[in-house]
Every structure is written in C-alpha cells, then in structure tokens.
Amino acid sequence: MHEEYEMIKALFFDIDGTLVSFNTHQIPQSAIQAITRAKEKGIKIYISTGRPLSLINNIDSIKHLIDGYITTNGAYCLIKGQVISCNPISENDISTVIRLADKMNFACMVVGENDLAVYNSNDKVDVIFRQMLNVQNLKENVPMEPILKQRILQLTPIISDAEERIIMPHLTECISSRWCPDFIDITAQNVDKGYGLLSIVSHQGIKIEETMAFGDGGNDIPIIKQAGIGIAMGNANASVKEVADYVTASVDEDGIYKALKHWIFSD
C-alpha cells in the first residue's frame, strides 16, 4: 500500500466494462470482495455511469454498499435517494436532435427525469441495449409526449462517428461522449462524469485528492482526469489509458481487485 494514499475516502466506479464484464454481464467475485473490504475500511462507494437510474440493473451484488450515484454521465446525481444535482438539456437542442433523427433516420434514447423512451426504434436498439448491455427492462412503444414534458437529462442517438460530426455542430448547448462505437451520449454543456464527481464531493465534504475513479470508455476520461487517482481498466480505450494515473488488469482479469490491492490494501 502507498502510505500517501491512505487518505482515499471515496471510490467511483463506472459500470459497463469496469464493474461489469461484457462477457458474463456480472461483477467478478474478486471485485465484490475488494469493494466490500474498502467499505469496511470506511471508504465511500459511488457509481459513475452513463446509464439512467432506471437502467442500472446489473449491480445488485454490491447495491447495499453504494453511497451514491452519478448517472446519465453526470447529469443526474443522487446520494441515498436524494437528488443533489440535475442538469437538463435545453428544449431547443432536444427539438434539434428529434428533427435530425427523422431526417437522418436514426434511433435515439430520450432520458427524462422519471422515464425514458426510444425514438425511431430499430433493430440496432435490440442488439446494443438488450444483447450487448443486457438491458432487459427497456420498453417498446413508450409514447414520447409525456417524456418530453419532463426535464431531459440525456439523449443517446445510435449513430456513427461520421454522423456525430454532422449533428453536434447543430447543438449549441450540449456536449457528446462515446464509450461504444455504436452510439453517443449527449448531455448539457459542461456536464460529464467529472462534473458529477465535483457535485458529489462538494455535497459530501470530500477533497478531490481523497478520490479514486475507475473507467474504461471515452465518457470516463473526465472523471479519471478529475479524480485524485484515475484508474483505467486493462480493457480500456487507449485514450483512457493515456490520461490515467494507473492502468490495471481488465474487468475479466480481476482489475478492480488488483488496483485496490496496489493502492489501498496492505496485503
């Protein structure tokens, strides 16, 4: 254990590809044991995900250990069920994405504060979300009208890099991030996982240098750069590894356990 890092008080974990294996759709037992041990040491455990709260369906094995959530890439943050930060997308940018979805014929997940729906749903939705990400509670044919009356936290168009370059210049108050080649997540300007970390630590009175964040995708870069220690998984994108303080093993090779053993535990 590195003595200078004995002060770590909060761990932030991405879900897909970091906590949860894309191969097994499970959290490795070694990660469960390591996170449990960290919690027993008094370290706070937070989730940091692009998923909306309603689609976080794959972390039941550690749910009882979690102190708070950064969801929708920082747009919606909660601690013990209390919303501490909510940053919706402007109505103008929402309308623009819906218009472009019609014009360019792409599907788009529209995430409201309470519900979500898929606009222009197609076969890619099933392949990506139900098969690859094992999201089984994504409902079909949900009407858009009641969703659009809510504050919209995130838009997830299923588009390529080339299509992203076409649509993003049309959005004046948004940013995009990508952790999967098949889609992007759009959030309000300056709202990302790094912003979510700042929201959590400010509310909890934790210093930045007392935080450690784990991730594997492009949307994890802001929080890995923002945290006191940023950890990239062995299966992470090269761009994530470049900004990390430490690269651990992959999720399927006990990466979380190995990183926590290196930085936190003495044995």
Side-chain angles (χ1 to χ4, degrees), residues 189-218:
Q189 191 71 45
N190 300 319
V191 174
D192 54 30
K193 290 186 180 186
Y195 172 88
L197 181 143
L198 292 176
S199 298
I200 294 283
V201 299
S202 175
H203 186 276
Q204 297 295 83
I206 300 169
K207 298 176 183 178
I208 288 292
E209 57 265 30
E210 297 172 334
T211 64
M212 179 182 290
F214 291 73
D216 71 298

Side-chain angles (χ1 to χ4, degrees), residues 24-195:
T24 67
H25 301 302
Q26 302 288 328
I27 302 177
Q29 192 61 38
S30 64
I32 296 171
Q33 292 171 350
I35 293 169
T36 300
R37 187 173 175 187
K39 182 76 172 184
E40 290 171 349
K41 287 174 64 71
I43 298 173
K44 299 291 186 180
I45 308 298
Y46 298 99
I47 294 299
S48 169
T49 182
R51 290 190 183 222
L53 192 64
S54 63
L55 297 187
I56 299 177
N57 64 337
N58 52 356
I59 58 171
D60 285 353
S61 56
I62 63 164
K63 197 170 184 179
H64 61 291
L65 303 173
I66 297 169
D67 294 285
Y69 293 83
I70 298 170
T71 73
T72 51
N73 287 300
Y76 200 64
C77 301
L78 307 94
I79 294 177
K80 300 298 184 184
Q82 175 190 356
V83 179
I84 64 164
S85 179
C86 179
N87 291 271
I89 298 171
S90 71
E91 291 184 8
N92 183 60
D93 281 348
I94 296 165
S95 299
T96 299
V97 172
I98 295 298
R99 175 177 59 81
L100 290 171
D102 286 332
K103 181 179 179 180
M104 298 169 64
N105 194 31
F106 60 78
C108 181
M109 183 184 294
V110 180
V111 181
E113 190 171 359
N114 302 310
D115 304 291
L116 60 83
V118 179
Y119 187 72
N120 277 358
S121 186
N122 56 30
D123 290 343
K124 290 182 179 179
V125 173
D126 186 70
V127 171
I128 295 167
F129 294 105
R130 294 192 179 88
Q131 296 180 35
M132 186 183 82
L133 297 179
N134 199 36
V135 175
Q136 301 301 327
N137 58 336
L138 186 60
K139 299 177 183 177
E140 291 285 352
N141 303 316
V142 176
M144 288 298 303
E145 185 177 351
I147 306 293
L148 293 174
K149 290 180 180 179
Q150 303 171 26
R151 292 189 288 184
I152 302 302
L153 307 175
Q154 183 167 272
L155 299 167
T156 301
I158 299 177
I159 55 175
S160 65
D161 285 320
E163 290 169 316
E164 179 181 3
R165 289 192 291 271
I166 291 172
I167 75 166
M168 288 310 297
H170 293 277
L171 307 182
T172 59
E173 302 174 73
C174 285
I175 58 172
S176 65
S177 61
R178 184 183 292 271
W179 58 271
C180 174
D182 298 302
F183 62 83
I184 63 171
D185 289 327
I186 296 172
T187 50
Q189 191 71 45
N190 300 319
V191 174
D192 54 30
K193 290 186 180 186
Y195 172 88

Side-chain angles (χ1 to χ4, degrees), residues 248-259:
T248 187
S250 73
V251 59
D252 292 304
E253 296 173 318
D254 303 318
I256 287 177
Y257 164 78
K258 289 175 180 177

